[in-house]
Amino acid sequence: QVQMVESGGGLVQAGDSLRLSCTASGRASDSGVMGWFRQAHEKEREFVAAIFRSGSSAMYADSLKGRFTISRDNAKNTVYLQMNRLKPEDTAVYYCVGGSLYTKTPSSYEYWGQGTQVTVSD
């Protein structure tokens, strides 16, 4: 059963913007917290951003504040990641997650998407 499906990845140039989307289905659609992680080639998976169901609170990786914005549309069971002023070091596979804990720890999230590739060329 498909739970979370990402879209919106692709190849862009440095300085461009990109918006990722992730739609949850099944039990994943009840996730109180939704978020994003990323994993670059031969690097560990790292936290990007997370948001409460109400949208009243969001948190970001310190290095990404000011460039990335997370939002969600509960009517569509969808979470978004707006990425601006992209840099080559943002190149990674981006994973959508869902869970009940508001945390930056990947193992705390129950639901994971299959990932979408974002490549930023310089």
Side-chain angles (χ1 to χ4, degrees), residues 70-116:
I70 189 171
S71 60
R72 65 189 288 176
D73 183 339
N74 293 327
K76 297 180 179 179
N77 294 324
T78 299
V79 62
Y80 305 96
L81 184 68
Q82 177 67 43
M83 305 183 292
N84 298 326
R85 303 190 303 280
L86 283 162
K87 305 175 182 180
E89 50 263 44
D90 294 319
T91 295
V93 177
Y94 285 71
Y95 297 91
C96 174
V97 297
S100 57
L101 297 178
Y102 191 54
T103 175
K104 297 181 179 181
T105 304
S107 60
S108 297
Y109 288 91
E110 302 168 76
Y111 305 106
W112 288 75
Q114 80 287 353
T116 186

Side-chain angles (χ1 to χ4, degrees), residues 2-9 21-23 36-37 39 45 92-97 111-117:
V2 175
Q3 299 281 3
M4 307 191 82
V5 179
E6 303 100 334
S7 62
S21 301
C22 172
T23 299
W36 295 90
F37 284 78
Q39 187 167 19
R45 195 164 294 186
V93 177
Y94 285 71
Y95 297 91
C96 174
V97 297
Y111 305 106
W112 288 75
Q114 80 287 353
T116 186
Q117 177 70 45

